[in-house]
Amino acid sequence: NYPQEEIIYGRKDGTALTMIRMNPKGKANGKAVIFVIAGSWRSSYRAYESYYAPQAYMYLAKGYTVFAVYHISQPEATIMEITEDVNRAVRYIRHNARQYGVDPNQLGVTGGSAGGHLSLMLATRGGPGPAGATETLGILLYREAFSSFRFGTAAALGVLMIATAAIVVVLGSRW
């Protein structure tokens, strides 16, 4: 029901790394939420529709732009390679933020299960990133985002992330 655009944020061994950008119907607030679409280290469009869409619609209704980021699944990629791909997606969004109508310093990221773990990896596993990178990364984990969360075989870190419903902000990290 919301305007969508499929974006290729990179390629890996000939496979497109994709995300879906959704815009709010009304006035956008210039902020964005990145949903890391992953469960059991697998990422699929079907998982978004059945699992993440209700949360995304909540943010869209409040004026946020939403990015649903997909990655290459295990066993084709290791967890560290998947983490690098998610970092690449965030850098891509920051680089193109003006084009998407969002402030590159007003990005949040969330996910459940493996997506929650990858979101935490963004916050805790800083690295040098590209030379000259100066961006910061905010991690937003809102309690309300998980009101419709369905527990299944969620990874321990994903469950911990949801239980804490904390806001973690990493300032000055270079990605």
Side-chain angles (χ1 to χ4, degrees):
N1 296 16
Y2 289 90
Q4 297 184 14
E5 174 189 13
E6 183 175 39
I7 300 165
I8 297 174
Y9 66 88
R11 293 196 180 272
K12 188 174 207 171
D13 298 326
T15 301
L17 299 171
T18 63
M19 68 176 92
I20 302 293
R21 177 177 59 102
M22 290 161 276
N23 294 321
K25 289 180 182 175
K27 182 172 171 32
N29 63 19
K31 300 174 184 177
V33 177
I34 301 165
F35 283 84
V36 180
I37 309 302
S40 300
W41 308 108
R42 298 188 184 281
S43 190
S44 71
Y45 286 89
R46 186 174 53 178
Y48 170 78
E49 288 299 326
S50 63
Y51 191 74
Y52 292 97
Q55 298 167 35
Y57 296 155
M58 180 187 66
Y59 284 107
L60 288 161
K62 293 180 180 183
Y64 288 85
T65 299
V66 170
F67 294 90
V69 174
Y70 301 89
H71 60 77
I72 296 176
S73 299
Q74 272 197 335
E76 291 82 22
T78 67
I79 293 171
M80 294 315 295
E81 289 171 326
I82 293 169
T83 301
E84 292 169 10
D85 292 343
V86 173
N87 277 308
R88 181 187 301 184
V90 172
R91 286 192 305 268
Y92 186 93
I93 293 166
R94 285 188 181 282
H95 181 77
N96 294 287
R98 184 166 293 165
Q99 172 187 337
Y100 300 139
V102 298
D103 180 339
N105 294 311
Q106 295 291 312
L107 303 178
V109 61
T110 190
S113 189
H117 180 237
L118 291 165
S119 297
L120 292 172
M121 292 289 279
L122 286 170
T124 61
R125 191 181 177 274
T134 59
E135 66 270 20
T136 61
L137 176 65
I139 307 292
L140 306 177
L141 310 175
Y142 288 109
R143 181 181 309 276
E144 63 186 349
F146 299 104
S147 61
S148 64
F149 183 79
R150 289 177 281 151
F151 289 93
T153 56
L157 284 174
V159 173
L160 176 61
M161 178 200 71
I162 293 162
T164 58
I167 297 174
V168 181
V169 179
V170 178
L171 298 174
S173 296
R174 291 177 41 172
W175 296 88

